[in-house]
Amino acid sequence: MLKPIMLKKNSKYSFFLKIIQNAITKTESRIIRDFMELGDLQVSIKGTNDFVTNADKRSEEIIYNEISKKTRGMDVSFLMEESGLIGNKNAEFCFIIDPIDGTFNFMHGISYFCTSVAMMHNQNGISQIVAGIIHSPITRETFTAEKNIGAFYIDLNTTIHKITTSAKKNLRHSMIATSVSSDSIRHHQLIQRLIKNNARIRSMGSSALDLAYLALGRYEAVISPCLHQWDYAMGFLLVLEAGGIVNEHQRSEAPNTNEILATNSKEIYNAIKNLEDKDKNLS
């Protein structure tokens, strides 16, 4: 179970962090139960898909209901994987929710998935992700951050550690998380160039958890050619607060999705961008 988190008493967004934490705690046992039940299912692929979709929806509904109840009367909206946008997109506070990031892993009994909840603050025409939590219910690892406070990792003993990205500054033997299922030729060309530069490529299936691992120093970069905001919003805050670099670029051929690049350092960032530029010049 997710234990109480206190990053800094009476910080600007501590009230909302507590609400997010309580919402994730409410759905955690439901997600674990659904994950365990999957192993007992003897159904078709469609039946499994339906089960996982319903698990996603149930978890999302629990988180939505809990946050809605605690923020009643406030100017809030929600952007969620299953339900889309609920409320005014220009509300002062927007909760960005992915109840199960890594659903294909979840479907196959692989524990590399997580719940991600981020809060965006819209103020004076500026929108910023300011707080949130990524929680892995099976491994019981928790990552949380608050803008200008820092990024933190809560271990299995519920000890809170302030975290920073790794110190590596060259691609050789760097660990890079990405997607190999993309149909982007340019993306696959980039992967090949990274491999030739002795980078180590991993495709794990949960972008939110990949970004959390980058903030913790387990990866040096996360690259994805096609993500929705709920896939990376909280992960971006973790990386930034841990001292890393993030970049997003809207894909014209896929509305409402972005290409993302997040790295531990400017050196790794520049090295990857240089390889991307070579691919553009060749195409």
Side-chain angles (χ1 to χ4, degrees), residues 7 9 48-49 66 96 121 153 158 169 181 263 273:
L7 302 184
K9 190 174 182 180
T48 303
N49 286 339
E66 183 67 17
I96 303 172
H121 191 186
Y153 168 68
T158 68
K169 297 185 184 301
S181 60
T263 68
K273 291 300 289 183

Side-chain angles (χ1 to χ4, degrees), residues 86 106 171 197 204 257:
I86 295 179
F106 181 92
L171 285 176
N197 280 268
M204 301 297 288
T257 63

Side-chain angles (χ1 to χ4, degrees), residues 148-209:
N148 298 326
I149 300 294
F152 300 84
Y153 168 68
I154 296 90
D155 64 23
L156 300 185
N157 296 316
T158 68
T159 304
I160 300 178
H161 307 269
K162 192 167 186 177
I163 58 176
T164 60
T165 55
S166 79
K168 188 176 283 291
K169 297 185 184 301
N170 60 74
L171 285 176
R172 184 175 176 81
H173 301 316
S174 291
M175 288 280 280
I176 298 178
T178 189
S179 169
V180 295
S181 60
S182 167
D183 58 1
S184 167
I185 295 174
R186 185 163 61 86
H187 179 66
H188 286 285
Q189 288 173 336
L190 175 59
I191 290 175
Q192 291 303 312
R193 289 184 178 276
L194 288 166
I195 292 171
K196 288 178 181 178
N197 280 268
N198 294 308
R200 300 296 188 258
I201 305 299
R202 298 292 182 268
S203 183
M204 301 297 288
S206 170
S207 297
L209 209 46

Side-chain angles (χ1 to χ4, degrees), residues 1-18:
M1 180 176 288
L2 186 56
K3 300 295 183 181
I5 299 169
M6 177 64 71
L7 302 184
K8 185 177 180 182
K9 190 174 182 180
N10 299 324
S11 63
K12 187 173 183 179
Y13 299 108
S14 59
F15 168 76
F16 295 101
L17 265 176
K18 185 176 181 180

Side-chain angles (χ1 to χ4, degrees), residues 5 9 12 14 20 36 64 84-86 95 120 131 160 179 183 185 202 205 224 238 240 260 264-265 283:
I5 299 169
K9 190 174 182 180
K12 187 173 183 179
S14 59
I20 291 170
M36 296 306 179
Y64 168 74
L85 179 66
I86 295 179
F95 292 89
M120 182 165 63
I160 300 178
S179 169
D183 58 1
I185 295 174
R202 298 292 182 268
S224 182
L238 279 166
L240 287 170
I260 71 140
N264 67 320
S265 65
S283 59

